[in-house]
């Protein structure tokens, strides 16, 4: 067991970080991706590349922090739901590396004029929606523990 104060802080932070991650992921799918798909192929690609890099710098740490805070909250009272939420947050890492990264790598290797740029960026957006779902599920689990 960890001290009650640390457990409460961790529980609160787990929910906040998961919600931040989910909000950012949802924004990408609901706003940024549709806007970029409205651009010509060259502009679409030119926008995606730096946007992807910036998004990674924000979302990757949030996924790890959400997992860490979920585990710490679990250690404060051993409610399995904290661990489940933490694992949902952590699942973003292997999902990204195993499923999304091959698409990312193909896109990063392109110059932008290839005909498969648009279909690959569409595919990337569909795969990114799974990250949004993982974050939303973790947020829901953390809220469930706190509210019930």
């Amino acid at each position: 067991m960890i001290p009650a104060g640390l457990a409460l802080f961790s529980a609160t932070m787990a929910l906040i970080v998961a919600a931040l991650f989910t909000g950012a992921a949802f924004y990408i799918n609901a706003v940024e991706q549709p806007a970029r798909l409205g651009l010509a192929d060259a502009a679409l690609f030119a926008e995606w590349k730096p946007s992807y890099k910036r998004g990674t710098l924000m979302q990757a740490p949030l996924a790890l922090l959400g997992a860490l805070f979920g585990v710490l909250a679990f250690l404060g009272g051993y409610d399995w739901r904290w661990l489940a939420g933490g694992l949902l947050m952590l699942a973003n890492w292997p999902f990204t590396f195993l499923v999304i990264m091959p698409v990312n790598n193909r896109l990063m290797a392109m110059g932008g004029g290839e005909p498969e740029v648009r279909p690959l960026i569409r595919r990337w957006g569909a795969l990114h929606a799974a990250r949004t779902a993982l974050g939303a599920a973790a947020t829901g689990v953390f809220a469930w523990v706190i509210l019930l």
Side-chain angles (χ1 to χ4, degrees), residues 4-35:
L6 179 58
L8 179 60
F9 173 78
S10 297
T12 303
M13 290 305 296
L15 178 59
I16 290 169
V17 169
L20 286 170
F21 177 93
T22 303
F26 180 77
Y27 174 83
I28 290 166
N29 284 112
V31 178
E32 190 173 297
Q33 181 74 350

Side-chain angles (χ1 to χ4, degrees), residues 18 21 63 66-67 80-95 130-131 133-142:
F21 177 93
W80 65 270
R81 296 174 292 178
W82 289 116
L83 194 55
L87 290 174
L88 284 165
M89 288 298 294
L90 189 61
N92 279 286
W93 275 76
F95 179 79
R131 290 172 49 87
L134 285 168
T139 303
V141 170
F142 291 153

Side-chain angles (χ1 to χ4, degrees), residues 42 45-46 49 106-114 117:
F45 184 71
K49 253 185 161 176
R106 283 180 62 197
L107 283 164
M108 289 299 203
M110 293 181 173
E114 297 86 346
V117 164

Side-chain angles (χ1 to χ4, degrees), residues 32 36 42-56 104-112 114 117 121 124:
E32 190 173 297
R36 85 168 53 102
L44 163 77
F45 184 71
E47 192 284 332
W48 179 84
K49 253 185 161 176
S51 176
Y52 162 73
K53 288 179 181 178
R54 286 185 202 107
T56 299
N104 293 350
N105 290 340
R106 283 180 62 197
L107 283 164
M108 289 299 203
M110 293 181 173
E114 297 86 346
V117 164
I121 290 179
W124 177 89

